[in-house]
Amino acid sequence: MEPQVYENVQASRQGQTTNGLAVASLILGILSLTGCGCMTGIPAIICGTMAKNAIRQDPTQTGDGFAKAGVICGWISIGLMCLVMSIYVLLIVLVGAGSIAGAGN
């Protein structure tokens, strides 16, 4: 009976394809974490969301995990970028306030 079960699994997977937008989302999400930031983070979120919707509508497409990972990586990179920008602004304000206070002496 084991070979028959294996054949049924193979037959059910034959018509499935991986969604291209899901793969693109994963690649863009990984790139966004390696230093590209929002340049690839935002497209990763957009592609991932579009891919998840397409996969939900078409049962022959797979790649929901790829799309989800791309969206998560995109959001993480945007969050990190916002954190870094906030720190830069804070440092600029502190250095500016220190130079103004030092100029009065």
Side-chain angles (χ1 to χ4, degrees):
M1 278 207 176
E2 292 294 326
Q4 186 179 19
V5 171
Y6 179 74
E7 288 173 8
N8 289 340
V9 171
Q10 286 294 92
S12 68
R13 290 187 182 176
Q14 282 180 345
Q16 293 183 336
T17 59
T18 303
N19 186 294
L21 282 173
V23 175
S25 174
L26 179 63
I27 292 169
L28 290 169
I30 291 171
L31 284 174
S32 72
L33 292 176
T34 61
C36 296
C38 292
M39 298 269 296
T40 56
I42 294 171
I45 294 169
I46 293 169
C47 288
T49 304
M50 289 172 57
K52 287 180 5 180
N53 289 336
I55 291 168
R56 240 183 261 123
Q57 291 175 357
D58 186 0
T60 63
Q61 291 188 352
T62 61
D64 190 50
F66 290 164
K68 185 183 286 187
V71 169
I72 291 170
C73 290
W75 278 116
I76 289 172
S77 72
I78 290 173
L80 289 174
M81 187 65 75
C82 289
L83 180 66
V84 168
M85 293 303 288
S86 298
I87 291 171
Y88 281 148
V89 169
L90 182 64
L91 286 174
I92 290 170
V93 168
L94 291 176
V95 168
S99 65
I100 291 172
N105 289 336

